[in-house]
Amino acid sequence: MKKVVLLFSLVLLVSCFDHSVSVVGDKRMQVSGNILDTQNTPLGNINVIASGSESTIINAWPEEILGEGFTNASGEFSFVSLDTDNSFYGVSINHPNHQDYREEFSTIHYLDSIGSRGNSFELTNIQLPKILEFQVKLNNTSARNDTLFFEFSYSSTEIYRKLQEDSFDNSLRFQGESEYWNKILPGEDEMTISAKTIENNDLQFKYKFSAEAVYNTINVEITPENSVYEFSY
């Protein structure tokens, strides 16, 4: 029996009330920097958004946007942003909610906690990785009558970083990993999982044939030339 699984990252944000971003008087902040690809080539026409949020998830809904700009041909951007005193504050590069989102590139969010901020933020030489679709293929080629337990982890296409290094004590939001786990029962001879990650990163694949056993671990590099990992047992 063959199974094909399409894996998407889905974030649900449930709120019991509408959040209104409060603006700090007439305060303005200068947000500037430059964006490169992983080969250090400047990237033009990349959207950059400053926004507020009631949580550490940066959605950048229209009512939350505090400023925005685009990179020029040299990969440079500069714009004026409002500040907020009741919300988390984020600067998002290539946000997927923006109408000019470029699907071939990942997203980087710079997040700041609720509190006071300075008058400017400079984000220099930011490397924006490309997105790569990959597959994990599992094949029972030996007709063994075991259940295969497996899981794998890989780099997320939305990356969170701290806007200020000391702004968060809890680093859970900034790990940047996605995970998937499943099992193949006896009689199921093949499964394919498709997902998206960033180029040139490792896939950590773990497997075992008993729920009580310790996982075996395999590290695989995912590249445009090698975007399929096949595990036969």
Side-chain angles (χ1 to χ4, degrees):
M1 182 184 297
K2 179 178 179 181
K3 286 188 176 181
V4 178
V5 180
L6 297 177
L7 185 60
F8 299 97
S9 295
L10 178 63
V11 176
L12 295 180
L13 180 61
V14 179
S15 177
C16 296
F17 57 90
D18 293 330
H19 178 66
S20 178
V21 175
S22 173
V23 174
V24 182
D26 59 354
K27 182 180 177 181
R28 301 292 185 270
M29 298 187 295
Q30 190 73 28
V31 181
S32 61
N34 67 302
I35 301 173
L36 314 167
D37 65 13
T38 54
Q39 305 301 315
N40 290 322
T41 301
L43 289 176
N45 199 35
I46 299 290
N47 76 75
V48 184
I49 300 172
S51 62
S53 176
E54 66 176 311
S55 74
T56 58
I57 298 173
I58 303 300
N59 290 299
W61 306 130
E63 63 272 15
E64 297 175 339
I65 292 178
L66 301 168
E68 63 179 310
F70 284 87
T71 57
N72 58 22
S74 300
E76 300 170 343
F77 65 90
S78 181
F79 61 90
V80 174
S81 168
L82 300 172
D83 196 7
T84 173
D85 60 0
N86 73 330
S87 306
F88 292 93
Y89 179 85
V91 177
S92 300
I93 297 170
N94 195 40
H95 199 295
N97 286 343
H98 196 279
Q99 61 182 357
D100 294 306
Y101 170 64
R102 293 182 58 179
E103 294 183 354
E104 72 270 31
F105 289 104
S106 59
T107 298
I108 300 178
H109 304 285
Y110 286 89
L111 184 64
D112 194 34
S113 61
I114 299 172
S116 60
R117 278 172 278 274
N119 295 314
S120 65
F121 290 107
E122 187 174 12
L123 306 172
T124 58
N125 297 326
I126 305 304
Q127 287 190 324
L128 190 65
K130 281 191 172 182
I131 288 179
L132 176 65
E133 185 168 349
F134 71 95
Q135 291 185 332
V136 174
K137 293 185 175 181
L138 305 143
N139 299 289
N140 185 352
T141 57
S142 63
R144 61 185 296 169
N145 196 36
D146 295 308
T147 296
L148 173 69
F149 299 85
F150 70 94
E151 62 182 62
F152 57 87
S153 59
Y154 54 96
S155 295
S156 302
T157 58
E158 288 198 48
I159 304 162
Y160 276 82
R161 296 175 181 170
K162 298 176 183 180
L163 188 56
Q164 302 182 86
E165 190 57 38
D166 59 351
S167 58
F168 285 92
D169 294 328
N170 188 339
S171 60
L172 201 60
R173 164 58 64 191
F174 308 98
Q175 291 181 350
E177 291 289 317
S178 294
E179 296 180 339
Y180 177 84
W181 56 93
N182 206 335
K183 58 185 177 182
I184 298 182
L185 300 173
E188 298 176 347
D189 55 5
E190 185 176 344
M191 180 182 292
T192 299
I193 302 101
S194 298
K196 292 182 179 180
T197 186
I198 58 177
E199 281 187 357
N200 302 317
N201 272 266
D202 286 342
L203 168 76
Q204 187 177 77
F205 181 82
K206 298 181 178 181
Y207 71 96
K208 59 185 180 180
F209 294 100
S210 168
E212 295 77 22
V214 176
Y215 277 107
N216 296 293
T217 302
I218 301 172
N219 292 308
V220 183
E221 186 179 14
I222 300 296
T223 67
E225 297 76 27
N226 183 27
S227 61
V228 178
Y229 173 61
E230 192 163 355
F231 179 78
S232 299
Y233 64 99

